[in-house]
Amino acid sequence: MSKEITIQLKKFGKISKRKDIESPTWFAVGNDLFEHPDFFRLTSDELKCWFWILTVASKLNKDLVRLDPEVLAHQARSKEIVFHSTIEKLNGKRLDVRECDAECTPAGTTLHYTTLHNTTLQQ
């Protein structure tokens, strides 16, 4: 099983602009995404991972989230290694990785993983 990683998103206020909504259904991304140097080295899979991270943070409306690479692999149909490479490339630029255990993360910041539904339609 993968180890959860705690991430703090930088400039979260520009991404999630609606503080009056508990769980927003959208977030904002600048239209210079493909021109910005922070994203030059990202592959298409890593860019998809970045959007996944933004969706989780937006759903929780928190800039500090605990994420599991295994959940990314399932939900985004990707590989766990993509999560780690994305984090490595964006660390210090768009996010900060926090090395801490579950007790140091404020209550309510863990994504209680959107139930991983049985997509095979088996009973």
Side-chain angles (χ1 to χ4, degrees), residues 1 8 23 28-29 54 59 62 64 76-77 84-85 91 99:
M1 176 132 196
Q8 177 133 31
S23 184
V29 175
L54 293 177
K59 285 178 187 179
K62 305 273 184 194
L64 184 66
R77 291 172 176 70
H84 296 291
S85 63
N91 191 22
E99 294 296 332

Side-chain angles (χ1 to χ4, degrees), residues 56-120:
V56 171
S58 175
K59 285 178 187 179
L60 296 171
N61 210 7
K62 305 273 184 194
D63 66 338
L64 184 66
V65 292
R66 284 180 38 215
L67 302 170
D68 188 333
E70 187 177 3
V71 176
L72 162 77
H74 177 79
Q75 290 181 339
R77 291 172 176 70
S78 189
K79 297 180 179 176
E80 292 181 38
I81 191 71
V82 171
F83 177 82
H84 296 291
S85 63
T86 304
I87 298 304
E88 182 180 320
K89 289 179 182 178
L90 294 178
N91 191 22
K93 297 176 183 177
R94 294 293 167 147
L95 53 86
D96 288 320
V97 175
R98 302 266 177 133
E99 294 296 332
C100 62
D101 58 23
E103 294 177 10
C104 78
T105 305
T109 58
T110 301
L111 172 63
H112 293 288
Y113 308 107
T114 310
T115 305
L116 302 179
H117 297 286
N118 183 349
T119 57
T120 62

